[in-house]
Amino acid sequence: TGHASIVLRGSDAICGAREVIDHSQIIRVCAFPFEEVERYAGLLRTAGCYILASAREAYIGESKDVGERLRTHAQASDKAFAREVFVVTAFDDTRFDKFAARYFDYRLTQEAEARKLVRVIKGASPAQPCLPLDRVVAFNHMLGGVWRLLFDAGCRVFHTGDPDAVVPASPPVIPADHFDEFDMKIGRASCRERV
């Protein structure tokens, strides 16, 4: 058992751009200094969830075009606190799409607020996306591997590195009443309001 994170660096700079992967996962984490957004934004023209972080604050967001969204944030004075950028995306754009990005935004924001290791800066709170059960299960499986990859990339929003600290929990088991939220049809599921 165990895990093998691979850290790929584009230069000798310890705090420079890096990509963290694990061959058992389809997700990957890209990290780089916030001041270098313009340099790397063109390489991130994909759906993803991202974290803008400093030692005390974090902003978590998502986009179908992370690179373009990061360019916008780099021009915004309210994001000037950021020192590092962490982007969660995947090698396969068909499995990590806008819906995955929204789900990760929701779950990572929840976890960061629960951990209270940094102040979470946000505009509107991300809503839990209404998704078919098969997508939720797949996204939870992907989410299970993201904590280690983020930590190995240098992100301390969810875990400090203290060996006595609690590691973020695995994604929750989907309760049986979750099935009541869906009209099941062959080939698709549509969301209903819960009463």
Side-chain angles (χ1 to χ4, degrees):
T1 62
H3 300 279
S5 293
I6 300 166
V7 180
L8 306 168
R9 295 183 186 279
S11 72
D12 292 334
I14 291 173
C15 296
R18 56 222 177 265
E19 180 180 35
V20 183
I21 63 172
D22 176 339
H23 289 305
S24 70
Q25 304 287 323
I26 71 157
I27 57 172
R28 63 188 179 130
V29 172
C30 302
F32 51 90
F34 185 63
E35 64 192 25
E36 296 186 22
V37 162
E38 193 58 42
R39 182 176 180 183
Y40 297 106
L43 303 173
L44 295 167
R45 304 298 304 258
T46 184
C49 178
Y50 58 89
I51 302 164
L52 307 180
S54 69
R56 294 186 180 92
E57 298 171 310
Y59 176 88
I60 301 170
E62 57 80 20
S63 177
K64 65 182 179 183
D65 184 342
V66 173
E68 194 54 41
R69 182 66 54 87
L70 291 175
R71 279 189 174 115
T72 302
H73 287 326
Q75 304 303 316
S77 60
D78 63 336
K79 305 299 185 297
F81 71 90
R83 297 293 173 260
E84 265 320 292
V85 179
F86 302 94
V87 178
V88 179
T89 187
F91 299 105
D92 181 353
D93 291 343
T94 63
R95 292 173 61 195
F96 198 96
D97 55 11
K98 174 73 171 172
F99 296 106
R102 289 180 60 207
Y103 188 76
F104 270 60
D105 178 26
Y106 171 73
R107 290 297 308 279
L108 267 60
T109 299
Q110 276 189 321
E111 194 64 42
E113 289 177 328
R115 297 259 152 228
K116 298 181 177 161
L117 297 175
V118 296
R119 182 171 73 94
V120 178
I121 298 170
K122 57 185 179 175
S125 292
Q128 181 172 6
C130 182
L131 298 166
L133 185 58
D134 64 319
R135 301 290 315 264
V136 173
V137 170
F139 296 158
N140 279 340
H141 180 71
M142 286 188 252
L143 190 63
V146 79
W147 311 116
R148 184 177 33 80
L149 296 179
L150 281 167
F151 183 84
D152 291 347
C155 181
R156 298 299 180 260
V157 172
F158 308 101
H159 194 281
T160 63
D162 177 357
D164 296 326
V166 177
V167 176
S170 296
V173 174
I174 298 168
D177 67 349
H178 182 79
F179 292 99
D180 294 339
E181 295 179 25
F182 297 97
D183 288 326
M184 299 305 283
K185 297 183 177 147
I186 295 175
R188 69 176 203 204
S190 61
C191 195
R192 270 192 309 198
E193 292 284 325
R194 193 180 241 180
V195 182

